[in-house]
Amino acid sequence: MTQTTTGQPRAAVLGGGVMGEALVSALLTAGWDMDDVAVTERSAIRANELSTRYGVRSADPNPKAVRSAGLVLISVKPQVVPEVLAEIAGALAPGALVVSVAAGVPLAVYERALPEGTPVVRVMPNTPALVGKGASAIAPGRHATDEHLALVERALAATGLVVRVQEKELDAVTAISGSGPAYAFYLIDAMAEAGVLLGLTRDLATRLAVATVEGSAALAAQTGDHPVVLRERVSSPGGTTVAGVAELDAHGVRAGVVAAARAAHDRSRELGEAARARD
């Protein structure tokens, strides 16, 4: 890989959307020098915004951006991936690692489009990565080594939790952590709505709901205790929490969450199959 004075490979982030910006920020936080990070973006306004905000290069076309990069992160819409791969296949530096955060595009699509032997790692991130509280799963392609995975872990360290999985597990990861923030926001909204119904102002109810979910997650992470154990610590016999949880069970909330995850899992699999069919 093309190394810099910091010992890190030069990096190119293809796609300057929300997740692309998160990747640029993560790289700089992880120790990459701004001069060694390039980001490409079709919108000139957005490219200038990223360059001004982070001090990285943003005017290069995709082939030029990847030519000297040892780490190439693809953060474009899934349907644009084949076009981007066709652009960069002949320009990749020897040994460059390609990392994809494009949802639903299988590793095989990348490995067929890029030069034989190109190491590819697929990442399933989630939106809390934008504030350093994300959960990302990384899956290696046929030519990716432990060294490549370690590099991706360093690059993503500032986004939050990073775990290694096999590609076959990514549909389940998508259902839990990928789509999971939406479930959490759904719960926050429901709790806030309940607070309004019970007489609180919407602002106060929302702040209480957000802080409660945030604090509960932090407690679970810090203690490592099973969620059932933590729930029981809040539940006094015959008390308010027991009454509330009984209503959640009566309304099938647990079953609804499981059904939502199953639906997200199945849809993720369908999108992957569609991507293979387009390839």
Side-chain angles (χ1 to χ4, degrees), residues 29-41:
T29 302
W32 268 259
D33 190 280
M34 65 180 66
D35 292 332
D36 295 320
V37 177
V39 58
T40 67
E41 171 56 39

Side-chain angles (χ1 to χ4, degrees), residues 131-225:
V131 293
K133 296 294 184 180
S136 298
I138 62 176
R142 291 184 298 130
H143 307 293
T145 65
D146 283 344
E147 180 182 358
H148 293 126
L149 291 174
L151 174 59
V152 177
E153 288 169 337
R154 291 201 304 274
L156 297 179
T159 67
L161 175 69
V162 181
V163 298
R164 298 185 185 188
V165 300
Q166 296 301 308
E167 186 178 28
K168 64 183 180 181
E169 298 174 299
L170 283 179
D171 291 324
V173 169
T174 299
I176 303 305
S177 61
S179 299
Y183 313 153
F185 299 143
Y186 189 99
L187 177 61
I188 289 170
D189 181 56
M191 292 171 65
E193 192 68 26
V196 173
L197 178 66
L198 297 172
L200 300 178
T201 65
R202 184 166 297 279
D203 176 68
L204 176 58
T206 300
R207 286 192 291 131
L208 288 171
V210 169
T212 299
V213 172
E214 180 182 29
S216 299
L219 183 61
Q222 181 174 317
T223 65
D225 292 337

Side-chain angles (χ1 to χ4, degrees), residues 25-75:
S25 178
L27 287 166
L28 297 179
T29 302
W32 268 259
D33 190 280
M34 65 180 66
D35 292 332
D36 295 320
V37 177
V39 58
T40 67
E41 171 56 39
R42 290 182 175 181
S43 167
I45 295 176
R46 175 62 172 167
N48 183 64
E49 179 184 339
L50 293 171
S51 180
T52 301
R53 183 174 300 163
Y54 297 101
V56 298
R57 301 194 318 277
S58 64
D60 295 340
N62 288 334
K64 184 176 180 180
V66 306
R67 194 162 285 122
S68 62
L71 177 63
V72 177
L73 301 108
I74 298 179
S75 180

Side-chain angles (χ1 to χ4, degrees), residues 225-262:
D225 292 337
H226 194 283
V228 170
V229 173
L230 294 172
R231 191 186 74 206
E232 288 177 347
R233 289 176 185 163
V234 189
S235 305
S236 301
T240 59
T241 305
V242 168
V245 171
E247 285 300 311
L248 291 176
D249 287 340
H251 286 79
V253 173
R254 177 186 293 270
V257 172
V258 173
R262 171 61 67 183

